[in-house]
Amino acid sequence: MKKRILILSVLAVFFSCSDATDIVQAGELNDARLFTSVNNIQLFLNETYDRLGTENEILVSSLLTDEVAIGSGLVSNETQRFFLLTTNGFAANIWNSHYNTINYCNRLLRGAALYTPKASETAQYNSILAQARALRAFSHFQLLTYFSTDLSNDAAPGVMLVDFVPTADQDIPRSTNGEVFKLIESDLAYAQANLINPTGPTAYKFINSNFIRAFKARMYLYRKNYAQALINADDALTNSGLVLSTSTVSVANFPSTASTVVPNGAANGANTINVDPGTGFPVQRALFQIDQWASTSSPMYRKMWVDAAQGEILFAVDKPINKINFSSQYNTNGSYITGGPLYDMGRSLFNLYNADLGGGAQDYRRWCFVDRSSTISATPATASRTSEVIVIDKYPGKNGGHTANDLKVFRLSEIYFIKAECLIRSGNLTGAADLIRQVRQARSYTGGVVPLPVYANATAAIADVLLERRKELSFEGHRYIDLKRLGADAGVTGTDRFAQDAVNSSATNPVNINVTDYRFTLPIPQREINVNALTQNPGY
């Protein structure tokens, strides 16, 4: 009797729970109730923009290459030691973040289909769909970039193609690169045909024509379709309405001699000079920054990095103060020596900024990307982690927030590099050299004319493009992919990490890895392998 009562009780609970799951609860906000106007669809799009981010790509690129060293505030980091497992948090975050964005895009597209716009609303309605599809295309591309072994091979395994809202129990296999790129190109074609360009001072933080031009130029470059990459790069250079941000500074009381000198990082007055040990090159404090961020006398290049001006930015992800404080990933509380640096700039990269640009031109990136409070050792080969602290200042925060910065996704300088690489592939080495010279000239703050590089062959030209991309696009998520794409063609064997920047190096914990190493493709996260039975990338 007890058994019968127990069985009946279980059945009663089962059927009552089943009935409950079929009930539409009062006040439930489902698609039919949400997507009832263009304004509501726009609100959902705004939330979709908030899903987008490239923070994890930037960090994994810094850690898995030669951009950073472990700072005095950290003991060790598995990723920075090239210890990459299928449970790696950065790989999982890239995967989850972009599929989250894709899910929002698909929910918007599904919900918007329930609403028929009025004639007066059609253009705005279609533009909202265009932005959602462009965001979906970009997220699929980011996933391919980090999880596909070879973007130039359409038959190679890609990622999960998701152009619908899946159910919780639905398995989704990996599609080929070609299948995913077909969706991306379809989404971009729709976006290009239906987008209403945003206007106003923050227009570059929304999907716009420049985003599409730059996206297509990068996408086709990575696929080694250089003809299409060149067409879109030219389109961006000709029609973006932007120019390279200049770095020149005019300081009325800039001294002609280093008569008043203090060590780099000491407490300075407005008219004293910082000197890097071993170089003796002076630079006045005002040349770098008047306050923590920028002033009216700061060059446009500096204003761009503190979110005070658009400059040459084609598209950025908006990150307001107190939303996602990305800069705290490099420096806990601020990009200065007392701000808790977690990662220092790699010494090999720092040395490149100290180099003369030629023709008497000096590189402003030395002063824009390295905080003046840094301690620079005259003997870096024997310096300890605490005696040399090269504070990364590419994300210095913005006025009112020490650790909040927008994420610059596409900039005009990258388009110059894309065109230069395309010209090299077609044999026009001189044309490529002039593009590289123009970027270097824009980064000079001392005047002088940067000389035109002379390349003996395509290998030397590609190596120079890779070098300039390393300097200009540091801490923007490019170095990891650039080494994978261009290393072999440039005659570069691997990462260029300074020996002192490695932690307890050994055979299993190397200072550097080769460009052919399997770790230049991220592992499919183990949780996705378990759930969707996806095939893992080689080496893991």
Side-chain angles (χ1 to χ4, degrees):
M1 180 62 70
K2 289 180 179 179
K3 288 181 181 179
R4 289 173 183 168
I5 293 172
L6 178 61
I7 292 171
L8 288 172
S9 298
V10 170
L11 289 173
V13 171
F14 174 79
F15 285 116
S16 63
C17 290
S18 178
D19 289 344
T21 61
D22 295 333
I23 296 173
V24 177
Q25 302 295 328
E28 178 182 312
L29 185 62
N30 53 36
D31 284 1
R33 291 179 175 176
L34 174 61
F35 296 96
T36 57
S37 69
V38 169
N39 287 339
N40 281 1
I41 300 171
Q42 177 65 56
L43 289 173
F44 197 93
L45 176 64
N46 296 345
E47 183 66 22
T48 302
Y49 271 106
D50 282 345
R51 305 300 104 192
L52 183 64
T54 57
E55 299 94 330
N56 294 295
E57 292 96 308
I58 294 172
L59 287 169
V60 82
S61 184
S62 288
L63 294 171
L64 284 175
T65 60
D66 37 35
E67 289 188 340
V68 300
I70 296 293
S72 57
L74 282 180
V75 176
S76 183
N77 180 285
E78 289 185 351
T79 306
Q80 202 266 347
R81 289 162 44 215
F82 302 120
F83 193 63
L84 198 59
L85 300 176
T86 60
T87 54
N88 182 269
F90 292 108
N93 288 341
I94 292 172
W95 186 276
N96 295 336
S97 171
H98 286 295
Y99 276 116
N100 185 29
T101 302
I102 289 168
N103 184 49
Y104 268 74
C105 293
N106 288 333
R107 288 182 178 276
L108 184 152
L109 295 169
R110 182 184 70 176
L114 300 175
Y115 178 74
T116 302
K118 302 171 185 176
S120 60
E121 300 173 325
T122 300
Q124 182 186 358
Y125 175 88
N126 289 340
S127 183
I128 293 172
L129 303 189
Q131 292 171 74
R133 292 186 66 168
L135 291 171
R136 182 173 71 179
F138 180 74
S139 284
H140 274 111
F141 177 69
Q142 289 296 97
L143 289 162
L144 283 177
T145 298
Y146 285 86
F147 293 100
S148 173
T149 56
D150 183 4
L151 291 186
S152 67
N153 180 2
D154 278 354
V159 293
M160 299 187 304
L161 188 160
V162 186
D163 59 353
F164 57 95
V165 180
T167 59
D169 59 349
Q170 188 170 0
D171 288 343
I172 307 173
R174 291 181 74 171
S175 296
T176 65
N177 286 341
E179 290 167 337
V180 181
F181 276 125
K182 184 177 179 181
L183 173 65
I184 291 173
E185 290 181 315
S186 173
D187 280 345
L188 289 177
Y190 183 90
Q192 200 159 19
N194 292 279
L195 179 69
I196 298 174
N197 257 319
T199 57
T202 62
Y204 67 98
K205 300 181 184 182
F206 299 91
I207 299 299
N208 57 73
S209 294
N210 285 339
F211 169 92
I212 296 173
R213 294 176 181 122
F215 181 5
K216 291 174 74 173
R218 183 191 292 178
M219 177 183 71
Y220 286 119
L221 182 79
Y222 285 11
R223 297 180 72 183
K224 299 183 179 179
N225 185 340
Y226 301 116
Q228 283 298 315
L230 180 59
I231 288 171
N232 287 281
D234 276 333
D235 188 14
L237 293 174
T238 303
N239 299 312
S240 67
L242 302 179
V243 296
L244 290 170
S245 294
T246 58
S247 306
T248 52
V249 183
S250 176
V251 182
N253 59 350
F254 189 82
S256 58
T257 60
S259 56
T260 308
V261 175
V262 295
N264 190 52
N268 302 39
N271 297 317
T272 54
I273 302 168
N274 282 339
V275 174
D276 277 345
T279 67
F281 185 78
V283 61
Q284 188 184 18
R285 178 186 180 189
L287 180 63
F288 175 55
Q289 58 183 50
I290 300 273
D291 55 29
Q292 172 60 24
W293 296 283
S295 70
T296 54
S297 63
S298 298
M300 179 59 71
Y301 196 64
R302 177 64 178 175
K303 292 178 181 178
M304 177 181 72
W305 288 110
V306 298
D307 301 341
Q310 177 182 353
E312 64 180 55
I313 302 170
L314 297 161
F315 176 75
V317 177
D318 186 28
K319 296 296 179 184
I321 296 170
N322 297 325
K323 194 162 193 177
I324 295 181
N325 295 337
F326 171 67
S327 178
S328 63
Q329 299 298 316
Y330 290 111
N331 304 286
T332 307
N333 300 312
S335 57
Y336 37 84
I337 201 162
T338 58
L342 298 174
Y343 300 105
D344 299 343
M345 178 181 287
R347 181 71 197 211
S348 295
L349 176 60
F350 174 78
N351 289 342
L352 294 176
Y353 293 131
N354 268 343
D356 194 310
L357 292 171
Q362 297 293 329
D363 199 334
Y364 180 66
R365 290 170 294 198
R366 159 64 180 87
W367 306 103
C368 192
F369 297 166
V370 180
D371 189 73
R372 60 181 293 275
S373 65
S374 300
T375 55
I376 310 299
S377 173
T379 56
T382 57
S384 68
R385 286 171 52 212
T386 55
S387 64
E388 176 168 85
V389 182
I390 308 176
V391 182
I392 299 166
D393 199 37
K394 196 161 190 175
Y395 297 95
K398 61 183 75 178
N399 195 3
H402 284 264
T403 57
N405 276 116
D406 298 338
L407 303 178
K408 288 71 178 175
V409 177
F410 295 112
R411 294 194 292 116
L412 200 64
S413 54
E414 182 192 354
I415 306 302
Y416 274 74
F417 299 143
I418 290 173
K419 181 173 181 178
E421 186 177 340
C422 292
L423 293 181
I424 294 167
R425 303 295 183 180
S426 66
N428 186 354
L429 303 188
T430 303
D434 184 59
L435 292 164
I436 298 301
R437 186 201 64 78
Q438 289 183 57
V439 175
R440 288 175 178 160
Q441 188 68 60
R443 302 299 169 251
S444 170
Y445 70 89
T446 56
V449 178
V450 177
L452 183 73
V454 178
Y455 304 133
N457 49 47
T459 299
I462 292 292
D464 205 33
V465 171
L466 182 60
L467 170 66
E468 203 57 35
R469 287 182 69 98
R470 181 183 183 184
K471 293 191 292 181
E472 175 66 19
L473 305 177
S474 61
F475 311 108
E476 295 180 62
H478 291 269
R479 180 66 172 166
Y480 178 71
I481 302 303
D482 286 347
L483 283 171
K484 177 181 178 179
R485 286 193 317 108
L486 297 177
D489 291 347
V492 172
T493 57
T495 54
D496 182 33
R497 186 176 289 170
F498 195 67
Q500 293 295 99
D501 292 345
V503 179
N504 301 322
S505 59
S506 65
T508 57
N509 180 29
V511 175
N512 291 290
I513 57 173
N514 195 280
V515 293
T516 59
D517 193 283
Y518 72 92
R519 284 166 285 194
F520 274 103
T521 302
L522 293 182
I524 304 296
Q526 188 60 49
R527 292 177 66 180
E528 292 298 325
I529 297 287
N530 296 341
V531 172
N532 281 309
L534 303 178
T535 57
Q536 184 56 274
N537 283 323
Y540 295 102

